[in-house]
Amino acid sequence: MESKPSIPYVVGSKSPMAVAINSAAKAGEWIKSRVGSVKDLSTKYSPQDLVTDVDKGAETMIRKLILTHFPDHDILGEEGVAPGAEASAAAVTAAKKSEYLWIIDPVDGTTNFVQGFPFFCVSIALAYKGEVIIGVIYDPMRDEMFVAEKGKGAYMHGNPTRVSKEALLADSVIAIGFNPDSEVAAPINLKGITALADRARSLRAGGSAALHLAYVAAGRLSGYYEVNLNAWDTAAGALLVTESGGIVTDTAGNPYDIGVRNLIASNGKIQQQLLDVVSAAGATGL
Ligand code: IPD
Ligand code: CA
Ligand code: CA
């Protein structure tokens, strides 16, 4: 049987991976230059869901860079989708039909960016027929570029990333999120957080889903749980985690795909323990 190439084709002189890295680096550099100078701050779905001129400008920049090289590819970007869980889920369902789909979160961690709290990133993924084959996450404040390619491993500045080794939740530091959907998702997350606080060594809420996943991939965190995420929060990071030896599932233990909104990611060894705690707490969001 003919094997499928993991990078489908090259247009001109640039591979999709090179375009993803270049776009993330360019956007990240510009976002960093705008820390402390946000001109246009508004809210979207809830008072906790912020958007700025920088989110919109960075997405436009990334879209243009990608379409220059791959004009026939589709793009699912956060700022191109109406706010709220329903619109996001519908956009992902429609986008799953694309052959080549780029999934962009121009600024993941907008609240942090607005505050000047240096924990935010650019997240860019490429899916082929619904399966993520490239994931790039760039943290411009630390100049850390995390990259993964399906079947070829994950790297940060040329060094392979590996998940942590903890076998017990009790020895693990777990990331959690304070989701901007304060009515439905936040109470579920809080139930999960309360249960995990009792069982894990410690919890961290950095405020960037994508960077949490990059940190799980790099072994800096052992796991991450959050209910009500979007494809642009998770697509690149999920590939980083699995290519670094970890596991990513929904909160019922089903394998990750870009439609998963309720997520548990870990080093693999503590995945079942996380699933059990979240399920026993009635905090799966399913
Ligand atoms: C948010 C961040 C945050 C997570 C939220 C996301 P945004 O993305 O990743 O950590 O808790 O669920 O919506 O709005 O900063 O791109
Ligand atoms: Ca996000
Ligand atoms: Ca965002």
Side-chain angles (χ1 to χ4, degrees):
M1 209 176 75
E2 204 184 309
S3 68
K4 192 177 75 186
S6 48
I7 288 193
Y9 62 71
V10 174
V11 173
S13 58
K14 287 227 169 167
S15 69
M17 176 59 96
V19 171
I21 291 174
N22 185 41
S23 307
K26 286 224 162 80
E29 205 178 309
W30 180 67
I31 293 162
K32 183 178 171 187
S33 78
R34 293 291 312 274
V35 172
S37 67
V38 173
K39 287 191 197 114
D40 176 15
L41 174 66
S42 50
T43 60
K44 296 202 279 189
Y45 184 71
S46 72
Q48 285 83 19
D49 195 7
L50 302 183
V51 65
T52 71
D53 56 311
V54 177
D55 298 71
K56 293 173 190 161
E59 181 160 324
T60 303
M61 181 191 286
I62 295 165
R63 279 176 183 267
K64 280 186 183 156
L65 286 165
I66 290 171
L67 290 175
T68 300
H69 296 279
F70 305 107
D72 56 338
H73 286 192
D74 295 322
I75 297 183
L76 174 68
E78 177 176 18
E79 307 314 331
V81 177
E86 244 172 66
S88 300
V92 171
T93 307
K96 272 184 177 175
K97 297 186 184 108
S98 297
E99 189 178 28
Y100 291 103
L101 176 71
W102 292 82
I103 305 168
I104 306 167
D105 193 335
V107 183
D108 186 57
T110 297
T111 306
N112 288 342
F113 166 72
V114 170
Q115 295 290 124
F117 183 96
F119 197 78
F120 49 84
C121 64
V122 181
S123 177
I124 300 177
L126 174 62
Y128 176 69
K129 295 191 174 165
E131 187 190 11
V132 181
I133 55 168
I134 285 174
V136 169
I137 290 178
Y138 182 52
D139 169 355
M141 302 308 279
R142 285 169 200 76
D143 188 25
E144 290 190 329
M145 181 77 75
F146 300 88
V147 306
E149 191 181 330
K150 179 93 188 154
K152 293 200 175 168
Y155 297 84
M156 206 275 283
H157 291 191
N159 300 312
T161 48
R162 290 308 295 169
V163 292
S164 69
K165 292 190 168 64
E166 287 78 28
L168 294 175
L169 184 52
D171 297 332
S172 299
V173 177
I174 306 298
I176 46 96
F178 292 104
N179 196 269
D181 178 353
S182 49
E183 267 184 37
V184 181
I188 300 169
N189 276 299
L190 283 176
K191 272 203 272 179
I193 291 167
T194 306
L196 287 168
D198 219 29
R199 299 284 305 277
R201 171 168 290 163
S202 193
L203 303 183
R204 293 290 179 274
S208 167
L211 264 191
H212 284 154
L213 288 166
Y215 277 31
V216 172
R220 297 171 183 176
L221 291 165
S222 298
Y224 171 46
Y225 153 77
E226 187 170 342
V227 162
N228 197 39
L229 294 166
N230 295 296
W232 44 82
D233 301 313
T234 60
L239 185 64
L240 279 164
V241 171
T242 51
E243 288 296 324
S244 301
I247 291 181
V248 186
T249 67
D250 71 6
T251 47
N254 301 303
Y256 175 81
D257 78 63
I258 60 171
V260 167
R261 299 185 58 78
N262 307 314
L263 186 110
I264 293 182
S266 78
N267 64 5
K269 298 197 170 88
I270 60 161
Q271 186 76 6
Q272 194 56 50
Q273 295 162 64
L274 284 170
L275 286 163
D276 290 345
V277 170
V278 167
S279 164
T284 62
L286 296 168

